[in-house]
Amino acid sequence: ILNVEQSPQSLHVQEGDSTNFTCSFPSSNFYALHWYRWETAKSPEALFVMTLNGDEKKKGRISATLNTKEGYSYLYIKGSQPEDSATYLCAFKDTGRRALTFGSGTRLQVQP
Amino acid sequence: DSGVTQTPKHLITATGQRVTLRCSPRSGDLSVYWYQQSLDQGLQFLIQYYNGEERAKGNILERFSAQQFPDLHSELNLSSLELGDSALYFCASSPRDTSSYEQYFGPGTRLTVT
């Protein structure tokens, strides 16, 4: 069984705060790491796909970093807005499997 | 709008019945993935098809089966339904048969088994 863990499970921040959360995965046989944003009553939406150690990706106020040697990825949100409220999922694939394994997500609530 | 469509949006059926969920991938995408999300679980991978061929199988029950047709749409068949099969079923598509590409999720089908 592959362990993909996300922390914290949930987070409440004020509008304007910057925040970050973690995705931990096995450090061997890395292939790809995905981040998705999942708003309530909608479907998951892709944020980033990261494939190389040291990868840094950015989309507006959201950025992500990847450390495959130690098995973690950070997602950062700068200046959180209420519309950033969602569950953020990471998903990991190693070279031995053909499918992504999803973490259980970090639920972010941004108070106006 | 991801460009992936799923029908029906909601389905309510009784135990022991059989249902078919349908997914049309984004234009040009060859891979289709099926996921199940139950109340107390995260997204669980069920099965993947690429250009009509089964490519990967996850924790898919023997009562469940899927196929991808020549026009690339896919169907997930669930039979002998049990209460525990109640869940949100997503399909997702991507251009290739590799996880180097992001997946585009459809709106999901909510199945309720009574």
Side-chain angles (χ1 to χ4, degrees):
Chain A
I1 294 179
L2 208 55
N3 248 1
V4 180
E5 293 183 0
Q6 292 190 246
S7 61
Q9 243 182 339
S10 67
L11 201 50
H12 284 77
V13 301
Q14 293 295 124
E15 184 175 352
D17 287 351
S18 292
T19 186
N20 67 86
F21 15 97
T22 307
C23 173
S24 301
F25 50 84
S27 56
S28 55
N29 305 316
F30 177 86
Y31 186 86
L33 193 283
H34 293 213
W35 281 100
Y36 292 84
R37 175 169 62 197
W38 191 357
E39 293 178 64
T40 304
K42 294 190 176 178
S43 49
E45 175 196 345
L47 287 172
F48 306 115
V49 176
M50 307 172 85
T51 57
L52 295 174
N53 184 41
D55 251 355
E56 289 188 25
K57 300 260 181 167
K58 189 172 177 184
K59 192 182 271 193
R61 293 177 293 98
I62 305 178
S63 60
T65 61
L66 178 67
N67 183 326
T68 61
K69 295 191 186 317
E70 294 181 43
Y72 65 83
S73 175
Y74 292 141
L75 190 81
Y76 300 91
I77 303 179
K78 188 176 175 183
S80 303
Q81 300 296 308
E83 58 264 32
D84 296 328
S85 297
T87 296
Y88 290 83
L89 296 172
C90 70
F92 166 78
K93 183 185 171 308
D94 65 19
T95 53
R97 292 162 212 261
R98 297 198 68 89
L100 290 172
T101 299
F102 280 81
S104 49
T106 292
R107 180 175 285 185
L108 174 68
Q109 194 83 19
V110 183
Q111 301 285 103
Chain B
D1 184 357
S2 67
V4 178
T5 60
Q6 286 187 252
T7 55
K9 208 165 181 176
H10 301 278
L11 200 45
I12 301 174
T13 189
T15 53
Q17 295 299 303
R18 175 190 166 96
V19 296
T20 296
L21 313 184
R22 184 188 166 106
C23 168
S24 291
R26 284 189 331 156
S27 176
D29 284 358
L30 299 176
S31 261
V32 170
Y33 306 80
W34 285 99
Y35 294 92
Q36 178 192 58
Q37 205 237 343
S38 307
L39 260 177
D40 53 355
Q41 293 205 359
L43 274 174
Q44 301 290 316
F45 169 71
L46 295 176
I47 197 163
Q48 179 210 353
Y49 279 81
Y50 175 77
N51 205 19
E53 290 187 12
E54 183 186 302
R55 286 299 234 206
K57 238 175 176 173
N59 297 327
I60 187 166
L61 299 170
E62 279 190 25
R63 301 183 284 108
F64 295 1
S65 64
Q67 50 184 326
Q68 186 179 29
F69 294 86
D71 67 352
L72 301 178
H73 92 270
S74 177
E75 291 180 357
L76 180 68
N77 301 296
L78 315 176
S79 61
S80 304
L81 284 167
E82 300 175 2
L83 295 177
D85 298 327
S86 295
L88 193 48
Y89 291 84
F90 284 108
C91 85
S93 74
S94 72
R96 301 278 189 273
D97 178 26
T98 165
S99 293
S100 300
Y101 292 85
E102 54 204 14
Q103 294 184 14
Y104 296 87
F105 282 77
T109 292
R110 183 167 293 284
L111 173 67
T112 304
V113 182
T114 62

